[in-house]
Amino acid sequence: MAIKEFKLPDVGEGVAEGELVTWLVEPGDRVEEDQPVAEVETDKALVEVPSRYDGVVEELFAEEGEIVPVGNVIISFRVDEDDEAPESAADTDDGPAEPSEAEVDDTDVADDTDAADDADAVAPGGRTFAPPSVRRLARELGVDLAAVDGSGPGGRVGESDVRAYADEETDSADDEADDAPTPKPIDIGSEDRGSAVTKRGGGDDSDAAAGGASAGATATEPAGRDRTLAAPATRKLAREFGVEVDDVPTDRTREGEPFVDEAAVRAYAEADASSAPPTDVTGAAEATDAAEAACTAGATAADPEGTVIDRIPYRGVRRTIGKRMEQSKFTAPHVTHHDTAEVDALVDARAELKPKAEAAGVKLTYMPFVMKAVVAGLKAYPQLNSELREEDEEILIKGEYNLGIAVATDAGLMVPVVRDVDTKGLFELADEVNDLAARAREREITPAEMKGGTFTLTNFGAIGGEYATPIINYPETAILGLGAIEERPVVRSHADVDGGFLDEADGSTVVPAPTLPLSLSIDHRVVDGAEAAAFANTVQDHLENPLLLLTE
């Protein structure tokens, strides 16, 4: 057998990194070639990463939630020599890989399941097997995984094993603390806390001994460290005492790092409090007044995160949306043109076609009608179907009509593209839009299906909006926002309607009618205001007179 490492491949065009969202396997699982082993979220989509080997999962090198650069090793497999897949560019930087140092002799490895289970517990070199989440928990609790007895198959270490071991260590540390001599104050005279820290951690022998005694142990690790391992409960206690964990002396280590427990924090805090210089009454009163004033004003300087109820990682699709919105808003000078279309005839046309669409298995919304109307506007005013190439100092007028449809998903806004809208009928467009939107919400859309757009539509009216100032999907030069189709007051000629509020002066009447609010944002470097208004008028004409759509 041999150990084969697998690197994160380029799961999308030009993707440099991805967030490992979910592991679909764990060490000891047998996998087949092309079987998905992980879900990775890039700045464009959520994709599954398939195995290149038939074999057994040896080790996972990344944790769920970790950002992994393309080309980094994420998983390794135990592979039979006869089953090895040929090396490819995804697995090596400079051609065929050298034989792995991790290759092992399979002469003593049985082919039955029991032998495979026994091999799951420890990797070559005696390293303990545990999922990434368990390794992360061990680091947080300051537990050495090599010392933990696993209760899983083949001795695999689980979270319960790590927590049980940490509890035993804590109980043992508490017993030691109970038997330790009572901490004595350190006489540091008028020196400030900074000096006390220096003496505790790195002064002469007598000072170091005094500092160690105050903490209940001789500190061999200097105070003011860059990194200290401690359990979450210990860190919470340190915050309550106003103590920096990195300043607490300790001679204990975990995985080669200094380790501090609650007993050491308490001893350090008590010694520090007893050595603090007395405060005069006036100063105490002023400090009390200042503290009360801060509380009255709602200050949270002592606990700046006291009101935080959740932490959401800013990465993946959300980070990409943010970067693109920032790029668009601060690159293209936005101007938004608002207008309203009176869509009585459009509502009637959709109602008449809806049964035929249902018979064809298609859900007919208003979006296909709007898409056709937009194409009519783009043909009349092609400047809105363009891209500004600043480096080349030219404006590219596009000859195809590929419309992006913004879709709200749990991960943020995604914009799948419907291509060649000018060549497709209403039912065909409706079916394609519904399919793309459904797959976008399920995170099954591919990066290729979100590229190549020339103009974008966003339907905020679906959740009750009316007008907005949509941000252009850069490098496009325009985006059209659609409000909710609702009955609103409109002015009509009295001869055209029955009822309503008659204006005797001009014979007009105010009546309720279905209207569609439009919000058109343009890149003012490319599109002038008059051109934007003319485009909006063309779109309105085709929405108010749906028979015109038959010409598109």
Side-chain angles (χ1 to χ4, degrees):
M1 278 198 170
I3 303 299
K4 289 296 178 180
E5 296 180 336
F6 179 60
K7 300 176 182 178
L8 178 65
D10 185 348
V11 292
E13 300 176 18
V15 171
E17 63 182 15
E19 177 187 352
L20 203 152
V21 178
T22 307
W23 279 113
L24 304 178
V25 295
E26 60 181 31
D29 290 349
R30 176 164 287 280
V31 298
E32 299 177 354
E33 186 177 357
D34 294 330
Q35 176 183 332
V37 295
E39 289 182 337
V40 175
E41 182 178 65
T42 69
D43 59 356
K44 297 173 182 176
L46 183 71
V47 297
E48 291 183 338
V49 177
S51 168
R52 292 190 59 254
Y53 303 101
D54 291 329
V56 176
V57 176
E58 177 79 358
E59 184 176 2
L60 309 180
F61 292 93
E63 299 178 1
E64 293 181 352
E66 183 178 342
I67 302 297
V68 182
V70 169
N72 276 25
V73 175
I74 60 172
I75 189 172
S76 62
F77 303 91
R78 288 202 308 274
V79 182
D80 293 333
E81 296 287 354
D82 295 339
D83 294 336
E84 290 182 29
E87 298 291 340
S88 69
D91 298 301
T92 180
D93 296 329
D94 301 304
E98 295 291 331
S100 170
E101 294 180 2
E103 288 183 355
V104 294
D105 188 355
D106 66 336
T107 54
D108 296 325
V109 179
D111 293 333
D112 60 306
T113 305
D114 293 338
D117 287 342
D118 292 339
D120 286 342
V122 180
R127 186 155 46 83
T128 303
F129 268 131
S133 59
V134 174
R135 294 183 182 277
R136 179 170 62 245
L137 176 64
R139 286 197 296 271
E140 292 174 353
L141 298 181
V143 171
D144 182 3
L145 274 178
V148 180
D149 294 329
S151 60
R156 192 177 307 146
V157 178
E159 291 190 9
S160 59
D161 301 323
V162 173
R163 293 187 186 279
Y165 185 87
D167 290 341
E168 291 176 3
E169 285 288 295
T170 301
D171 293 341
S172 175
D174 289 342
D175 292 341
E176 293 177 5
D178 291 340
D179 296 336
T182 304
K184 297 180 180 180
I186 300 175
D187 183 10
I188 58 174
S190 60
E191 293 178 17
D192 59 19
R193 181 176 173 182
S195 300
V197 170
T198 302
K199 285 180 174 289
R200 290 190 185 97
D204 57 27
D205 293 342
S206 60
D207 289 335
S214 70
T218 301
T220 58
E221 285 290 339
R225 296 175 295 273
D226 293 331
R227 175 180 169 84
T228 303
L229 298 180
T234 302
R235 295 186 182 278
K236 180 180 179 182
L237 181 65
R239 288 195 297 271
E240 292 174 355
F241 281 122
V243 169
E244 291 290 340
V245 172
D246 291 332
D247 290 340
V248 178
T250 182
D251 62 348
R252 303 179 64 186
T253 61
R254 287 288 185 275
E255 296 184 351
E257 297 285 352
F259 174 75
V260 169
D261 58 18
E262 293 187 26
V265 170
R266 289 183 185 278
Y268 178 80
E270 290 171 3
D272 193 54
S274 64
S275 63
T279 305
D280 65 85
V281 177
T282 303
E286 291 176 353
T288 301
D289 292 341
E292 291 177 352
C295 291
T296 303
T300 59
D303 189 10
E305 300 178 354
T307 58
V308 175
I309 62 173
D310 196 8
R311 292 180 182 274
I312 301 174
Y314 182 61
R315 56 190 179 221
V317 174
R318 172 55 57 191
R319 182 176 61 179
T320 300
I321 292 172
K323 287 183 177 180
R324 290 181 178 173
M325 293 299 99
E326 179 182 14
Q327 178 190 26
S328 177
K329 194 65 177 177
F330 290 101
T331 301
H334 282 55
V335 172
T336 303
H337 173 90
H338 298 292
D339 219 325
T340 303
E342 300 174 16
V343 291
D344 316 54
L346 176 62
V347 172
D348 292 340
R350 174 176 174 263
E352 186 174 346
L353 290 174
K354 198 171 180 181
K356 296 181 179 180
E358 291 175 351
V362 176
K363 180 182 178 182
L364 183 62
T365 66
Y366 291 105
M367 183 59 75
F369 296 92
V370 176
M371 295 168 73
K372 282 294 190 180
V374 166
V375 168
L378 294 177
K379 287 182 177 180
Y381 301 95
Q383 203 81 350
L384 282 82
N385 199 49
S386 65
E387 175 185 339
L388 174 61
R389 293 283 179 87
E390 298 176 71
E391 300 81 4
D392 301 328
E393 297 185 336
E394 62 182 8
I395 299 171
L396 303 183
I397 306 296
K398 303 297 183 68
E400 60 274 355
Y401 302 95
N402 302 332
L403 303 190
I405 309 297
V407 178
T409 74
D410 291 340
L413 203 64
M414 305 184 80
V415 187
V417 175
V418 181
R419 303 181 187 281
D420 304 317
V421 175
D422 56 320
T423 66
K424 298 174 180 177
L426 291 175
F427 288 7
E428 186 179 1
L429 289 174
D431 193 45
E432 188 169 349
V433 169
N434 293 336
D435 173 63
L436 288 171
R439 289 194 291 113
R441 294 188 185 97
E442 294 298 324
R443 306 299 305 280
E444 296 175 356
I445 201 79
T446 66
E449 291 174 307
M450 294 188 288
K451 286 189 171 185
T454 61
F455 186 97
T456 296
L457 290 163
T458 178
N459 182 20
F460 44 79
I463 54 175
E466 189 168 358
Y467 291 102
T469 55
I471 297 178
I472 298 166
N473 189 14
Y474 192 81
E476 297 170 12
T477 55
I479 181 172
L480 181 63
L482 309 175
I485 295 181
E486 295 177 351
E487 286 198 341
R488 298 178 178 86
V490 298
V491 178
R492 298 281 173 81
S493 168
H494 184 56
D496 296 334
V497 297
D498 294 325
F501 299 93
L502 175 64
D503 186 335
E504 298 290 351
D506 60 6
S508 62
T509 303
V510 177
V511 297
T515 63
L516 171 58
L518 304 174
S519 299
L520 173 68
S521 290
I522 58 169
D523 182 344
H524 216 341
R525 299 173 302 173
V526 179
V527 182
D528 294 329
E531 194 169 21
F535 168 84
N537 289 339
T538 301
V539 173
Q540 281 182 251
D541 288 343
H542 284 71
L543 293 176
E544 293 176 353
N545 302 283
L547 287 177
L548 292 176
L549 298 176
L550 297 176
T551 64
E552 299 303 325

